[in-house]
Amino acid sequence: TFIYGVDVSENSCQVVCHYNDNRRAGKTWHIPMKNNKFIMFPSTQKYFITPNQSKQLNIFLTISYEFI
């Protein structure tokens, strides 16, 4: 999965990815979103985008790939 910040207000939201490091379950990464920034992670991971903290709309592009 790729998430691309098309038009994102500075310090307005984060992408939170849940993962398991094979020692402890329930770990998370908190990644601040910015304009023109790609975030890539396996599609099997659960994720969400935190609520927008600014008064502008944030625009994201989400892309999923499949091996053929």
Side-chain angles (χ1 to χ4, degrees):
T1 299
F2 283 99
I3 299 176
Y4 177 68
V6 176
D7 187 16
V8 181
S9 298
E10 195 70 31
N11 298 320
S12 63
C13 63
Q14 297 179 346
V15 175
V16 179
C17 294
H18 295 272
Y19 72 99
N20 181 348
D21 67 357
N22 294 325
R23 296 179 72 188
R24 289 175 233 98
K27 297 283 221 169
T28 58
W29 280 307
H30 295 262
I31 307 158
M33 280 304 297
K34 298 178 183 175
N35 278 337
N36 300 319
K37 180 176 182 178
F38 268 109
I39 297 175
M40 182 177 85
F41 52 88
S43 294
T44 56
Q45 287 183 287
K46 293 181 182 179
Y47 75 94
F48 67 93
I49 299 172
T50 60
N52 186 357
Q53 301 298 316
S54 73
K55 294 185 181 188
Q56 287 184 285
L57 288 176
N58 285 337
I59 301 171
F60 302 98
L61 175 64
T62 304
I63 306 166
S64 297
Y65 290 97
E66 179 181 347
F67 284 111
I68 299 178

